[in-house]
Amino acid sequence: MIILSGGTGTPKLIRGLRKLVADEDITVIVNTAEDIAVSGNFVSPDVDTVLYLFSGTLDTSKWWGIENDTFHTNKALQRLGFNEKLMLGDADRATCILRSELMRKGESLTEATQQLSSRLGIKASILPMCDEKMNTMVNTQQGRMHFQDFWVGAHGEPEVLDVRISGIETAKPTKQVLAALESEDNVIIGPSNPITSIGPILALKGMRDILKKKKVLAISPIIGNAPVSGPAGKLMKAAGFPVSSIGVAECYGDILDVMVIDERDTVDENDFPGNVVKYDTLMTSVEKSKALARFVLEIL
């Protein structure tokens, strides 16, 4: 089973899938366009969320970071007058330090992630979407900024003019991603931000052509005209898409076979370009995540 994932919505779905499918049968292709250097270390936020989920250490009250982590280093840096771009916990920082050391010794992001997965006892296959460095850049009325500066630093408040992915021209799926896709007929796109979480994966060279040959099911992160969480609405509007589950379907275009929308969504199902089904997509508990996962598996 292959899942395309960003940082928050999709891990909630994966939490449910793990109740129904063995970890070793799950492959997660993860967005890396939001990766960033923090205090000299390479942070891959979406990858780390998935790593922590499968290792049983994820802080599911926030859906990022490690549960019960401490922040002694971050606070010490603040006392020295240095504010980090991302608030890293101490155990979370250890992950980033090891990743950075492995990459400084010549390992790719994929190889470093495989090392981390092994050391954390993870049986699932967690694959960064590419090894090339990419950056999601948000053009705002306050200037051009990295996604993390926009979302974390500026709290997502600036008006967004457009979104660009620097480095996308030369980025391509890794051989591990290609091999995984070759071995599966079905692909699930989780309910992550379609512009900055899933968009970069789909923008990789040749990715859309590969997915056109698969059965692709996507779960909308939008209910009505608002995202369940995060800045998806503001970013979709800037990219020229309506802020609705129909807009999400338009983002994905001709790769999409089935769209799952929330049972409370009032959009006209006849306006969708393909098949659409309704279910409760608000995964507010493990049981709700499991129920949605079971529904998705039954469709596939």
Side-chain angles (χ1 to χ4, degrees), residues 31 165 168 193-204 208 252:
N31 170 48
I165 307 170
I168 190 60
N193 188 318
I195 304 299
T196 56
S197 292
I198 303 301
I201 303 175
L202 301 183
L204 293 171
R208 282 187 171 273
Y252 298 152

Side-chain angles (χ1 to χ4, degrees), residues 192-225:
S192 293
N193 188 318
I195 304 299
T196 56
S197 292
I198 303 301
I201 303 175
L202 301 183
L204 293 171
K205 191 175 297 182
M207 181 61 81
R208 282 187 171 273
D209 290 336
I210 294 170
L211 293 178
K212 286 177 187 177
K213 302 172 185 176
K214 309 294 179 181
K215 182 172 184 178
V216 177
L217 178 148
I219 301 166
S220 175
I222 305 288
I223 301 177
N225 59 1

Side-chain angles (χ1 to χ4, degrees), residues 43-156:
V43 184
S44 191
D46 291 358
V47 169
D48 289 343
T49 293
V50 178
L51 285 171
Y52 299 151
L53 175 68
F54 278 100
S55 64
T57 60
L58 179 64
D59 185 343
T60 54
S61 67
K62 303 192 302 276
W63 286 94
W64 59 267
I66 292 175
E67 188 175 23
N68 298 321
D69 207 349
T70 55
F71 293 84
H72 299 302
T73 303
N74 179 269
K75 291 175 181 177
L77 287 167
Q78 289 182 29
R79 289 194 294 270
L80 291 169
F82 181 78
N83 291 315
E84 296 186 299
K85 288 189 174 185
L86 298 181
M87 186 177 177
L88 293 179
D90 298 316
D92 191 8
R93 191 183 304 273
T95 300
C96 301
I97 289 172
L98 177 55
R99 175 190 294 114
S100 303
E101 281 298 300
L102 292 169
M103 294 178 70
R104 279 191 280 267
K105 291 178 180 178
E107 295 201 16
S108 65
L109 177 58
T110 296
E111 291 167 338
T113 302
Q114 289 172 332
Q115 281 254 27
L116 287 165
S117 293
S118 176
R119 296 183 191 211
L120 290 169
I122 295 170
K123 296 180 180 179
S125 181
I126 302 171
L127 302 176
M129 65 183 192
C130 67
D131 285 326
E132 293 84 3
K133 185 69 180 79
M134 294 168 58
N135 293 292
T136 294
M137 304 301 296
V138 183
N139 290 323
T140 76
Q141 291 183 337
Q142 297 179 15
R144 187 171 183 258
M145 57 184 74
H146 189 281
F147 176 81
Q148 299 295 351
D149 293 320
F150 164 76
W151 182 234
V152 179
H155 310 292

Side-chain angles (χ1 to χ4, degrees), residues 264-275:
R264 289 159 283 254
D265 205 323
T266 57
V267 296
D268 188 341
E269 297 173 40
N270 294 319
D271 291 338
F272 278 86
N275 295 328

Side-chain angles (χ1 to χ4, degrees), residues 273-294:
N275 295 328
V276 59
V277 293
K278 284 189 170 185
Y279 200 77
D280 183 358
T281 64
L282 281 179
M283 294 173 284
T284 53
S285 68
V286 175
E287 285 308 310
K288 283 198 168 188
S289 294
K290 181 180 176 181
L292 178 58
R294 181 181 289 111

